[in-house]
């Protein structure tokens, strides 16, 4: 009923609807996450989408990380009949390049379980970032420095573009608080404290990286996937142009990986 009411009000506004947020975590699916229960809900909502709102876009299962058991359970339950894209939140403590193999594995699962003709559903990076909290972080670590966060933002966007992930949403644009030791308060590209209307927030290095990446990608004639691969590629110390540093076999130590 809630999903139908939301669609009735907001259909036709170009929204991409994500089916829940990180249902593989107890905090978002209390008291205990349950892939089977999520799948039942997703199938019911998906059937309603296709029946009553066939032009709207529904994606999922929006797991935190590549939770293979949870994802496989949802695929086996038939959610790929209704999803228009497969969205995950690829959080990790490892560098962004490590997500390339995970997305390749996800593509294989989609091809295994999707109905005929739907194995090429787009794979989406619906939320992902790195915190700059200081040790000891409240909750858990590890953490990245502000410089590392900036490097990771640029590399995250480039790697996902290079492997054909069409949507990559960075979390977060703005620090959620001012406690340097609180993990959840330090994912932003700008600090939390508001200054004034003309210069509202203090940019972190990741903000500069985001602006630079967008500037480099604006107005280019290359396809985004080819552009990203070329920016990640280098033959500076032996790597060939066909092995981008963000992909398996590439040169992960090359300076171009950090150029932004």
């Amino acid at each position: 009923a809630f999903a139908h009411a939301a669609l009735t009000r907001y259909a036709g506004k170009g929204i991409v609807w994500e089916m829940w947020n990180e249902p593989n975590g107890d905090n978002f699916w209390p008291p205990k996450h349950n892939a089977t229960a999520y799948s039942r809900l997703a199938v019911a909502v998906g059937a309603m989408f296709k029946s009553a709102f066939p032009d709207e876009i529904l994606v999922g299962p929006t797991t935190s990380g590549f939770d293979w058991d949870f994802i496989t359970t949802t695929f086996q339950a038939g959610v790929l009949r209704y999803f228009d894209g497969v969205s995950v939140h690829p959080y990790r403590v490892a560098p962004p390049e490590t997500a390339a193999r995970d997305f390749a594995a996800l593509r294989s699962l989609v091809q295994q379980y999707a109905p005929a003709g739907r194995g090429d559903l787009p794979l989406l990076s619906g939320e992902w970032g790195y915190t700059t909290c200081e040790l000891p972080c409240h909750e858990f670590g590890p953490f990245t420095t502000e410089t590392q966060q900036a490097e990771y933002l640029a590399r995250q966007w480039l790697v996902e573009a290079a492997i054909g992930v069409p949507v990559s949403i960075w979390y977060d644009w703005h620090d959620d608080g001012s406690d340097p030791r609180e993990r959840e308060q330090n994912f932003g590209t700008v600090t939390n404290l508001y200054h004034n209307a003309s210069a509202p927030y203090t940019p972190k290095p990741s903000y500069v990286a985001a602006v630079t990446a967008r500037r480099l990608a604006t107005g280019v004639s290359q396809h985004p996937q080819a552009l990203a691969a070329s920016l990640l590629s280098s033959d500076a110390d032996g790597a060939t142009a066909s092995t981008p540093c963000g992909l398996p076999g590439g040169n992960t130590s090359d300076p171009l990986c950090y150029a932004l």
Side-chain angles (χ1 to χ4, degrees), residues 6-18:
L7 282 158
T8 299
R9 179 163 185 168
Y10 296 108
K13 298 185 182 295
I15 296 171
V16 176
W17 302 85
E18 235 183 11

Side-chain angles (χ1 to χ4, degrees), residues 1-180:
F2 174 83
H4 191 279
L7 282 158
T8 299
R9 179 163 185 168
Y10 296 108
K13 298 185 182 295
I15 296 171
V16 176
W17 302 85
E18 235 183 11
M19 180 60 211
W20 216 263
N21 177 64
E22 301 180 358
N24 60 320
D26 297 345
N27 52 332
F28 291 115
W29 193 281
K32 181 69 177 176
H33 65 277
N34 186 311
T36 300
Y38 170 83
S39 300
R40 286 197 297 265
L41 179 62
V43 167
V45 170
M48 182 272 293
F49 259 75
K50 299 310 176 190
S51 174
F53 302 92
D55 295 328
E56 295 298 305
I57 298 173
L58 177 67
V59 302
T62 67
T63 54
S64 177
F66 289 85
D67 186 333
W68 298 117
D69 289 342
F70 193 98
I71 291 170
T72 300
T73 296
T74 68
F75 287 3
Q76 290 173 336
V79 299
L80 296 178
R81 294 198 304 269
Y82 305 104
F83 287 165
D84 301 296
V86 178
S87 174
V88 292
H89 299 174
Y91 284 104
R92 63 198 54 233
V93 297
E97 292 79 13
T98 59
R101 289 184 175 87
D102 289 329
F103 275 110
L106 181 62
R107 171 59 66 199
S108 295
L109 272 182
V110 171
Q111 292 173 340
Q112 178 180 350
Y113 289 107
R118 292 177 63 82
D120 61 349
L121 287 170
L123 308 182
L124 312 177
S125 178
E127 177 189 318
W128 180 14
Y130 291 86
T131 184
T132 59
C133 66
E134 299 175 1
L135 290 178
C137 283
H138 296 170
E139 299 183 44
F140 56 87
F143 69 106
T144 56
T145 65
E146 290 191 357
T147 299
Q148 286 173 319
Q149 186 195 49
E151 294 170 353
Y152 281 6
L153 182 149
R155 289 158 59 184
Q156 177 179 314
W157 285 356
L158 288 170
V159 167
E160 291 187 321
I163 62 177
V165 174
V167 173
S168 180
I169 299 175
W170 175 266
Y171 182 88
D172 198 354
W173 88 270
H174 173 272
D175 279 351
D176 291 336
S178 300
D179 184 348

